[in-house]
Amino acid sequence: MDMMDTGLIPAPRVVESAGRGAFALDTATTLWAAPGTDATERWLRSALGAALGLPLRPGTQDAPGGVRLLLDDRLGPEAYRLVVGDDGVEIRGGDAAGVFWGAQTLRQLLGPDAFRRAPVRPRTTYEIAHRVIEDAPRFRWRGLMLDVSRHFMPKEGVLRYLDLLAAHKLNVFHFHLTDDQGWRVQINRYPRLTEVGSWRARTKFGHRASPLWEEKPHGGFYTQDDIREIVAYAAERHIAVVPEIDIPGHSQAAIAAYPELGNTDVIDTTSLTVWDNWGVSKNVLAPTDNTLRFYEGVFEELLDLFPADPARFPEFSGFFHIGGDECAKDQWKRSATAQARIKELGLADEDALQSWFVRHFDNWLSERGRRLIGWDEILEGGLAPGAAVSSWRGYQGGVTAARAGHDVVMCPEQHVYLDYRQAAGEDEPVPIAYVRTLEDVYRFEPVPPQLTEAEARHVLGTQANVWTEVMEDHARVDYQAFPRLAALAEVAWSSLPAPAERDFAGFERRMGAHYARLDALGVAYRAPAGPRPWQRRPGVLGRPIEGAPPNV
């Protein structure tokens, strides 16, 4: 069967006809779930059953015309086999996640109505043509990084994005919780982090060169119970949540809350506020024992909120992201305290001081059974064996890390930064950086060709990154993320040919069906014809860069 007939995204490995005819889901259809598949059973009733108005009553394994869920150890991790025939629907998974991804495929086969929250048409029967689908992911790490620091996304919006990730078979949610412009997670022993650090008095509207300001307070944070709810909601959907607490740079919100964390011998840190502008703040953490103890306290609480789950995520359980990027060294160069620490430790310079800072938490996390991951700058001073790298400045950091034996998540800005503009047109809202079209993302290849087969095994997978400086609400996030996140999902999941050989025209045809699903989900995506009038931001300055981005 031609893949285009199904409109499935991401594309499965095998789709075959199982003879003529169709199976009808109706009010008599039962649902049977073998042990170990209960999360998918709950999801089918709560999401699919609610959308279609079908009760999906409990049945037996041999009930005619039912839906059956079971595990099959002949299938690999996250793999599934979906069979639609006269006797019903059977989803076999190599593990619980595989069953869940099979259920997501079933939902796509049922049409866009299956993506709503309640029935919209007086139907009692939903037909699916007989077929067999066999599928498994290319990469184990298939993710989205969402920055909730620059613009806060309330809890309901985060839960919604977890549903959107699940619908695209994405399984990692990289949660960027702190930055210069806001601290977003409650820490009980340090209440001022949210009392002071979670809001700013005003916000730059547009790029930092824009003369426009939104003159009202902006803020918000997640309570610890909010975080527990988010993590549990994600786990039910086989999504790992990787928290990010940025150190030692991107920390002005924390310093505004606790001025002793900053370089007090260089500036008056008591005068600092949560930053209301964009860019890279010069206000970074002081390399003192007090700062180390403070962040150890923060991390202790967070390790409890983000528990490791090796049974569900054997290859990347327990990751904790510490940022480590764009740390300005100006204050350290002028700080007697920082210079004394450099001398005390026998370090070469300020860059080595940052490496010492990162390695401290690398060891601290390792001692607690966790794995540090950070942006590719953390490579510059050497890492513990278990540490991993998010390669954002291009491919080179990932290549260096893989050759040194470190695991890598490929997220080069030139390919998968979804805050980059989607077209060159004048109507693109607040255009940032290079043009990265849907086709550009579809032709992204996560594994650099210069890696050997053994080195390439260190590429855990890939993720798209969404930085929200110019995204003031969830509709703007939707516009930047979709439809390009659907292309990234296919790159991460499907076994595609080399970039130049990929059938982008076929992907576009399948997107024709997928746009209807996104409509049903209420996603404010960028339409192929361009932004709708209410998606534009006339007169708001961006920072477009002409030409093709460097492929480094």
Side-chain angles (χ1 to χ4, degrees), residues 261-378:
L261 296 174
N263 295 286
T264 56
D265 59 344
V266 175
I267 64 161
D268 176 14
T269 56
T270 63
S271 68
L272 292 177
T273 60
V274 177
W275 208 21
D276 56 14
N277 212 329
W278 313 128
V280 179
S281 171
K282 304 292 187 185
N283 296 300
V284 303
L285 297 175
T288 63
D289 289 342
N290 174 65
T291 300
L292 298 181
R293 299 293 89 76
F294 183 96
Y295 274 86
E296 287 170 3
V298 170
F299 286 9
E300 281 175 4
E301 292 194 25
L302 292 176
L303 293 188
D304 178 59
L305 297 178
F306 296 92
D309 192 354
R312 186 179 272 112
F313 306 106
E315 291 182 35
F316 49 82
S317 172
F319 269 121
F320 195 101
H321 208 293
I322 57 89
D325 62 316
E326 298 179 326
C327 178
K329 309 298 194 303
D330 309 56
Q331 292 180 359
W332 286 356
K333 289 177 180 177
R334 294 185 286 126
S335 165
T337 301
Q339 293 302 313
R341 177 124 273 186
I342 289 172
K343 184 176 180 180
E344 170 200 339
L345 297 169
L347 301 176
D349 54 20
E350 292 78 18
D351 290 338
L353 184 61
Q354 179 178 350
S355 297
W356 165 81
F357 201 104
V358 168
R359 281 201 309 275
H360 174 86
F361 287 101
D362 194 356
N363 294 329
W364 189 91
L365 288 164
S366 296
E367 289 168 1
R368 288 153 182 80
R370 297 305 188 94
R371 294 183 68 186
L372 178 143
I373 184 168
W375 303 111
D376 52 56
E377 287 95 329
I378 69 172

Side-chain angles (χ1 to χ4, degrees), residues 1 3 8 10-16 77 79-80 132-139 492-496:
M1 179 179 292
M3 195 70 65
L8 295 176
R13 294 190 176 189
V14 177
V15 181
E16 296 176 345
Y80 68 88
V132 176
I133 299 176
E134 295 180 351
D135 203 6
R138 179 186 177 191
F139 292 109
W493 177 278
S494 305
S495 297
L496 298 176

